[in-house]
Amino acid sequence: MLAEEYMCGNDLSELAREIMRCERCGLSQTRRNAVPGEGPEDARVMMVGEAPGAAEDLAGRPFVGRAGALLDRALDLAGLNRSEIFITNVVKCRPPGNRRPSSGEIRACMPYLREQIEIIRPSAICLLGNIPAKAILGVQGVTALRGRVFDDLYLITFHPAAVLRNMGRMELFVSDLAKLREMRSVNRVRQL
Ligand code: URA
């Protein structure tokens, strides 16, 4: 890789280091660890959540708490392997008390997500809940939109925490995730 490309951040681990040093918003003052995301650089599937919670803030890894355990179970039932997926969030640092990230925090953090998508160029991006659906596609209303695919690239489904609150949604959640199996085989040569 050219040194120039590297300095432009055209590399996932360099970008992760930048995120860990980030002070673009006030969340940098209260976080323990930034959570850039994890998974292979050549992942065909990406998953985007809202923001790290307490467990993620402590571990520096996404979806390792109760919502993460639910997500792992649902992925398993859908015939997907977490180790093949790049998992991240719209906002990379924990909002205190797990409040929703503000629009300013989302705006400050979005360039990181865009760059991750540019580097990985996945065939499918699963948006977990309203925050990523609004931040990326400008749409809202997961209950009506779940299971729908936008631009042959984005799949909207519930946030795992919403499934935890109402386990009656588990079956739909798993069937949404199963769509990613088909989507991942689409050619990823595309312009974003
Ligand atoms: N909820 C999220 O949106 N992201 C995580 O990483 C964990 C919980």
Side-chain angles (χ1 to χ4, degrees):
M1 180 185 289
L2 298 171
E4 214 179 330
E5 276 173 346
Y6 188 76
M7 286 171 63
C8 288
N10 194 11
D11 172 272
L12 222 42
S13 20
E14 172 60 19
L15 183 58
R17 282 192 286 278
E18 193 183 327
I19 292 169
M20 289 187 275
R21 291 190 303 262
C22 178
E23 294 188 352
R24 288 185 192 175
C25 81
L27 298 181
S28 60
Q29 305 306 305
T30 50
R31 72 175 178 226
R32 281 195 224 208
N33 291 294
V35 182
E38 66 184 20
E41 185 145 341
D42 63 351
R44 318 251 1 193
V45 177
M46 276 182 81
M47 297 208 134
V48 184
E50 181 175 319
E56 291 77 20
D57 177 61
L58 206 55
R61 298 180 50 214
F63 284 101
V64 292
R66 283 184 65 228
L70 186 284
L71 178 62
D72 289 352
R73 207 168 111 219
L75 284 172
D76 203 37
L77 289 168
L80 289 154
N81 193 336
R82 175 169 170 150
S83 65
E84 294 167 20
I85 299 172
F86 189 87
I87 305 187
T88 189
N89 287 295
V90 171
V91 168
K92 312 299 192 203
C93 297
R94 182 191 183 206
N98 294 349
R99 65 162 168 75
R100 297 223 146 170
S102 69
S103 52
E105 288 156 357
I106 292 172
R107 219 174 311 116
C109 219
M110 274 299 284
Y112 292 131
L113 178 59
R114 289 194 198 291
E115 203 168 336
Q116 288 173 323
I117 294 172
E118 275 292 318
I119 294 169
I120 297 168
R121 292 200 169 265
S123 300
I125 302 178
C126 183
L127 306 175
L128 300 167
N130 273 317
I131 296 279
K134 169 117 193 289
I136 294 181
L137 295 176
V139 298
Q140 257 178 317
V142 161
T143 317
L145 296 177
R146 58 139 286 278
R148 277 187 48 191
V149 177
F150 290 75
D151 300 336
D152 295 326
L153 178 63
Y154 302 98
L155 171 73
I156 298 184
T157 190
F158 297 118
H159 189 283
V163 182
L164 269 181
R165 283 194 297 275
N166 177 355
M167 286 304 288
R169 294 169 171 154
M170 184 67 168
E171 205 173 316
L172 288 174
F173 186 49
V174 171
S175 72
D176 290 348
L177 295 183
K179 292 192 180 180
L180 296 167
R181 296 211 316 260
E182 299 262 309
M183 293 172 73
R184 73 184 163 184
S185 52
V186 171
N187 192 337
R188 74 172 100 186
V189 179
R190 61 172 83 245
Q191 286 301 314
L192 292 171

